[in-house]
């Protein structure tokens, strides 16, 4: 889905896996899901799961394999 979140400037937003990117994921063949890659519009990367990526003038994002961020 299209996940959205808002945070006050200069504060950290932490989203647990239970509410994260995979929270609404379903598949009749599996109940185990992981994030294996991601992109950020306008950014070249490299993007490494579990490692913070600095977006100039915006902040740092870390996407974890369990969907938390």
């Amino acid at each position: 889905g299209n996940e959205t979140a808002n945070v006050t400037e200069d504060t950290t937003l932490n989203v647990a896996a239970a509410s994260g990117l995979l929270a609404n994921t379903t598949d009749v063949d599996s109940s185990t899901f992981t994030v294996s890659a991601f992109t950020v519009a306008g950014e070249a990367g490299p993007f490494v799961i579990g490692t913070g990526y600095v977006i100039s003038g915006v902040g740092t994002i870390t996407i974890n394999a369990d969907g938390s961020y």
Side-chain angles (χ1 to χ4, degrees), residues 6-30:
N6 295 302
V7 64
T8 304
E9 185 174 359
D10 298 325
T11 60
T12 300
L13 171 67
N14 291 303
V15 177
S19 300
L21 301 173
L22 300 175
N24 297 317
T25 303
T26 60
D27 184 333
V28 297
D29 297 324
S30 178

Side-chain angles (χ1 to χ4, degrees), residues 12-58:
T12 300
L13 171 67
N14 291 303
V15 177
S19 300
L21 301 173
L22 300 175
N24 297 317
T25 303
T26 60
D27 184 333
V28 297
D29 297 324
S30 178
S31 62
T32 304
F33 304 98
T34 59
V35 176
S36 58
F38 69 96
T39 61
V40 176
E43 297 291 321
F47 306 105
V48 179
I49 299 297
T51 302
Y53 180 81
V54 178
I55 303 169
S56 181
V58 177

